Amino acid sequence: MSTFKTHVALNVSDIKKSVDFYKAMLGQSPIKYKADYAKFDLDNPALNLSLLPSHSMIEYLICKYG
């Protein structure tokens, strides 16, 4: 049986601070972490959370959910 995961991509102003925050909140490290991208892949809840740096307020306010 396949498990469907919710995918959420957030634009953040400081990727390192955001990774530190989500590591503490989720209790695990990202499975991918680069200077311009971080990805957390959770089983419970079934969630794929991506963090992307933004360089303007417009980018910061736009995010993806699906």
Side-chain angles (χ1 to χ4, degrees):
M1 176 182 250
S2 297
T3 301
F4 292 98
K5 289 190 174 188
T6 299
H7 291 242
V8 177
L10 300 177
N11 291 327
V12 299
S13 60
D14 186 320
I15 198 153
K16 183 184 178 328
K17 284 183 182 180
S18 297
V19 166
D20 291 344
F21 172 80
Y22 283 104
K23 278 174 56 175
M25 187 176 88
L26 301 172
Q28 70 181 59
S29 295
I31 62 167
K32 292 183 183 177
Y33 185 17
K34 300 177 183 179
D36 62 347
Y37 179 76
K39 177 181 176 183
F40 291 86
D41 192 13
L42 306 170
D43 291 325
N44 189 15
L47 175 65
N48 177 317
L49 174 64
S50 299
L51 304 175
L52 304 159
S54 65
H55 303 290
S56 71
M57 184 54 82
I58 297 300
E59 286 180 5
Y60 182 75
L61 295 173
I62 298 170
C63 62
K64 176 186 172 188
Y65 173 80

